[in-house]
Amino acid sequence: MADSVNPEEVPENDPVVNPAGSADGDALSQAEDILNGVEVPAEDAVAQGAAADDAAELKNDLLRLQAEYVNYRKRVERDRAVAGQMAVIGVLNSLLPVLDGIDAGRAHGDIVDGPFAAIASKLEAALATYGLEKIDATGVPFDPTVHEALIQQPSAEVEIDTVSQVLRNGYKSGERILRAAQVIVAVPE
């Protein structure tokens, strides 16, 4: 029984490792702390050079692994944000025909007052919270990135190509064009 160790006689210089891990950091930082805290006894001095090389290599591997994990986490967060934006854009695109119907109803005077007008306004307000915006079109210079010219009309009143009438509204979400506005363009004579 001379080889048994009394649990009360644990030397003070022995490292104590908590197997459950501490709440202070993640597993990679804990492993790095353990590697940095390893001391080589004097009798192992012959193997100390090889052990130091191994420890340095393990430390570099841990740092590389930690960097890969951080990059992976950032990439996943970025991909989630893009997937969320694409889902919102898909829903907005599917509701554009509904907005066209509302615009046609307003143009014919069918949606002026009453419950349908209130519902249409609420729908447009709800879609605006998700970033849907109408593209300003009438009286602005023609921009082929946001306007689709269906008809050109010569006009003496304009000096540059200008949108004179909107045939179908265009929409955008942020900087992304969901649908170009279909317009009649007044061109200089």
Side-chain angles (χ1 to χ4, degrees), residues 136-147 160-164 183 185-186:
D136 293 330
T138 305
V140 297
F142 176 73
D143 182 0
T145 60
V146 295
H147 302 123
I160 59 169
D161 293 353
T162 306
V163 175
S164 62
V183 297
V185 179

Side-chain angles (χ1 to χ4, degrees), residues 87-174:
V88 167
I89 287 172
V91 170
L92 293 176
N93 275 328
S94 67
L95 291 174
L96 292 182
V98 175
L99 293 174
D100 290 338
I102 290 171
D103 288 339
R106 282 192 179 128
H108 290 103
D110 295 337
I111 303 177
V112 177
D113 290 330
F116 291 120
I119 291 170
S121 297
K122 287 179 184 179
L123 176 65
E124 290 169 340
L127 294 177
T129 61
Y130 290 101
L132 185 70
E133 301 174 39
K134 276 187 183 179
I135 296 174
D136 293 330
T138 305
V140 297
F142 176 73
D143 182 0
T145 60
V146 295
H147 302 123
E148 181 182 348
L150 298 180
I151 301 171
Q152 288 185 346
Q153 294 178 337
S155 174
E157 299 173 2
V158 296
E159 296 178 7
I160 59 169
D161 293 353
T162 306
V163 175
S164 62
Q165 184 180 353
V166 177
L167 300 176
R168 186 168 84 164
N169 285 321
Y171 294 94
K172 64 181 180 176
S173 177

Side-chain angles (χ1 to χ4, degrees), residues 22-46:
S22 67
D24 295 336
D26 58 7
L28 291 174
S29 62
Q30 290 174 6
E32 186 176 346
D33 291 341
I34 291 169
L35 281 177
N36 289 336
V38 171
E39 295 182 20
V40 178
E43 62 264 5
D44 292 338
V46 173

Side-chain angles (χ1 to χ4, degrees), residues 7-76:
E8 296 175 1
E9 298 178 8
V10 176
E12 292 180 15
N13 62 356
D14 283 353
V16 177
V17 177
N18 183 0
S22 67
D24 295 336
D26 58 7
L28 291 174
S29 62
Q30 290 174 6
E32 186 176 346
D33 291 341
I34 291 169
L35 281 177
N36 289 336
V38 171
E39 295 182 20
V40 178
E43 62 264 5
D44 292 338
V46 173
Q48 187 174 7
D53 290 343
D54 289 344
E57 183 179 337
L58 287 173
K59 182 178 179 180
N60 287 336
D61 288 345
L62 281 173
L63 291 174
R64 197 172 303 110
L65 183 62
Q66 185 178 24
E68 287 176 9
Y69 176 71
V70 168
N71 290 337
Y72 167 76
R73 194 171 61 211
K74 287 179 183 177
R75 186 173 58 247
V76 166

